[in-house]
Amino acid sequence: MNTDVSSILGTGSLMVAAAVLALALIVRGDLVPVGMREGGGRWFLGGALGVGVVAFTIKLAVIALVSTFPAQTIGAREPASRRPSVQAVAPTPVPLPAARAFRPHAWQALPEQAPAPPDNPTTADKAALGERLFHDPALSADHTVSCATCHAVRTGAGDDGTRTAVGITRTPGARNTPTVFNAAFQARLFWDGRASSLEQQARGPLVNPDEMGMPSLEAVEQRVRADATYRAAFDRAFGPGTAITIDRITQAIASYERTLVTADTPYDRFVRGDPAALSAAQQRGMWQFQAVGCATCHSGPNFSGASVLGQRAPFMPLMVERSDLAVQRGLGNDKGLAGADAAAGIWRVPSLRNVALTGPYFHNGSVGDLDEAVRIMAATQLNARVGDDPSAPSVKLWWSPETQSFMHFERRRVTERDVADIVAFLKALSSDSLVGRLPK
């Protein structure tokens, strides 16, 4: 029972007892003036006091009854000074995209080993064979181009640093070369995500006429079989007498690619417990990356919704029309997975690991600066107003004839400092080992 209620009941009980005693004395006449003892005077006083006692007793009974109710009922009866502060709750409006509820983001370090499928476990012998195949120009039609020609893993960051890939025809291709580092963590490969494994992806460039140009996958098998020095390597990797097939060739290449993991970044050290691994600007950028919404698509330890780890959201439309700069860079000319007639292109969400080392950017390689790429993504994907111009409208309005009212959308704002901080954070995703081998 509430302590305050107990004290009230105790005091009230004493008062009732005193009143009953007084009533008895009145009836005897001890407390009645001499002039009122005769006649009905004492009965009048006794009746008045008796009515008061009964009324007071009823009140005490009500208080005792209420005290047995749940605590929240008592709270409603408590003095205002003891009640918790309660504010009126207005009807909840429909949240605007810029003011939606914030959910903490779970930051994760990259595992030091990539997962492998059950039918192609990674072994040292298999990876060694794959490394040789990866660097062998004999797998191209004119013996001039290898996988490593476009994916420089020994001297570069796993890409070629050019706007678009160049193969045996010396004709620039249509799309930029993604890095092969950490590709083992991706669930979708190629810009349009048409391959679902490294084994499947490895087949494409071999027979692409503008890349390695082999006439068929059977021709690739024959080219490898013609080199007698491969026989012993295949025996070690897959067992004595194993046939040299395109499946074995691509399995070996994929096994090698699964060793190309760069978990040695300032970001990984920071997440693993080194608070000095990131500068103040990088930590601000890490927060902004989360706060403005970049982490919605570039999620998980590999910073990609198309990853085998973390939340899966592998494909996203690129809303080019929201950014004049994106239109100028021709980012809407190729529609990717959506097809040429689509209103907006659809692309696999790429990993952002080593992004500062692997420019130029986007599927057509048309953007050379990382800060420009951040501005484009903020405008196209987040529909944010980018920059410090105070005159830029923050609210987009349009008239709805159906509802006879204005509809509105409040845009996020990404300042130039936000852009600089996000770029600083993205640089913290660069592998120490790769930074050390690349020119300053």
Side-chain angles (χ1 to χ4, degrees):
M1 181 181 291
N2 187 282
T3 304
D4 292 338
V5 174
S6 299
S7 62
I8 291 173
L9 292 177
T11 303
S13 298
L14 292 176
M15 293 175 65
V16 170
V20 170
L21 177 60
L23 179 60
L25 294 175
I26 287 174
V27 172
R28 288 180 52 186
D30 294 342
L31 294 180
V32 179
V34 175
M36 296 182 64
R37 290 178 182 176
E38 300 297 327
R42 60 178 179 173
W43 297 108
F44 175 79
L45 290 176
L49 180 58
V51 170
V53 170
V54 170
F56 189 76
T57 302
I58 292 174
K59 291 181 179 180
L60 289 179
V62 170
I63 293 174
L65 179 62
V66 171
S67 69
T68 64
F69 288 177
Q72 60 265 33
T73 303
I74 298 298
R77 300 284 197 274
E78 287 180 3
S81 61
R82 288 186 170 272
R83 297 176 193 166
S85 175
V86 178
Q87 298 180 350
V89 179
T92 303
V94 176
L96 297 174
R100 60 187 175 184
F102 176 77
R103 293 183 299 174
H105 180 71
W107 300 98
Q108 304 171 59
L110 190 70
E112 296 183 355
Q113 291 186 335
D119 63 345
N120 189 28
T122 303
T123 66
D125 288 331
K126 200 185 299 179
L129 170 60
E131 182 177 12
R132 178 181 173 184
L133 290 165
F134 190 90
H135 290 86
D136 191 350
L139 272 64
S140 65
D142 64 356
H143 295 259
T144 63
V145 173
S146 70
C147 302
T149 300
C150 294
H151 299 284
V153 296
R154 291 174 176 169
T155 59
D159 65 334
D160 56 11
T162 63
R163 180 168 177 168
T164 56
V166 176
I168 62 171
T169 63
R170 304 298 182 267
T171 301
R175 294 176 181 169
N176 179 257
T177 302
T179 178
V180 73
F181 280 106
N182 305 308
F185 293 99
Q186 293 296 91
R188 310 299 307 185
L189 286 307
F190 293 114
W191 276 101
D192 56 14
R194 63 185 182 273
S196 59
S197 69
L198 289 174
E199 288 81 359
Q200 184 181 358
Q201 186 277 332
R203 295 170 179 248
L206 295 171
V207 293
N208 187 311
D210 292 327
E211 295 185 49
M212 300 176 76
M214 293 294 283
S216 67
L217 294 175
E218 290 75 14
V220 176
E221 294 175 343
Q222 294 171 6
R223 185 70 63 86
V224 176
R225 291 176 193 145
D227 187 340
T229 62
Y230 269 116
R231 180 66 266 172
F234 271 87
D235 287 345
R236 287 192 298 270
F238 295 102
T242 300
I244 298 176
T245 66
I246 192 61
D247 288 341
R248 296 288 186 258
I249 292 170
T250 56
Q251 283 182 331
I253 293 174
S255 292
Y256 169 60
E257 291 177 335
R258 290 191 175 99
T259 68
L260 302 176
V261 176
T262 59
D264 59 334
T265 73
Y267 162 81
D268 291 295
R269 295 199 305 276
F270 181 81
V271 173
R272 291 189 179 108
D274 179 2
L278 298 185
S279 68
Q282 288 172 330
Q283 292 184 43
R284 290 196 305 268
M286 186 174 176
W287 163 255
Q288 288 295 339
F289 187 89
Q290 169 186 358
V292 303
C294 306
T296 301
C297 296
H298 296 284
S299 59
N302 202 35
F303 290 85
S304 170
S307 175
V308 297
L309 302 176
Q311 183 179 352
R312 298 287 185 89
F315 300 102
M316 284 292 166
L318 184 61
M319 311 303 290
V320 174
E321 72 282 356
R322 294 176 175 174
S323 167
D324 291 340
L325 188 56
V327 173
Q328 295 170 13
R329 297 290 184 261
L331 295 180
N333 298 341
D334 186 349
K335 301 300 176 61
L337 185 64
D341 297 330
I346 295 179
W347 302 96
R348 175 201 68 163
V349 179
S351 169
L352 295 182
R353 283 190 169 269
N354 299 309
V355 66
L357 309 177
T358 56
Y361 305 108
F362 294 103
H363 54 274
N364 63 359
S366 62
V367 177
D369 296 325
L370 186 54
D371 56 348
E372 183 175 311
V374 170
R375 291 189 183 92
I376 289 176
M377 290 300 290
T380 59
Q381 304 311 98
L382 304 176
N383 201 15
R385 58 188 182 107
V386 184
D388 298 331
D389 183 4
S391 65
S394 61
V395 178
K396 180 180 180 181
L397 296 174
W398 67 94
W399 177 255
S400 171
E402 292 80 9
T403 62
Q404 289 290 294
S405 62
F406 277 108
M407 308 295 288
H408 70 285
F409 178 85
E410 187 169 352
R411 303 175 69 191
R412 293 181 179 88
R413 180 181 178 186
V414 177
T415 67
E416 290 301 324
R417 176 172 177 172
D418 294 337
V419 171
D421 287 344
I422 291 172
V423 169
F425 170 63
L426 293 178
K427 290 180 179 179
L429 303 181
S430 299
S431 160
D432 293 338
S433 58
L434 297 187
V435 169
R437 73 165 64 150
L438 296 175
K440 303 296 184 183

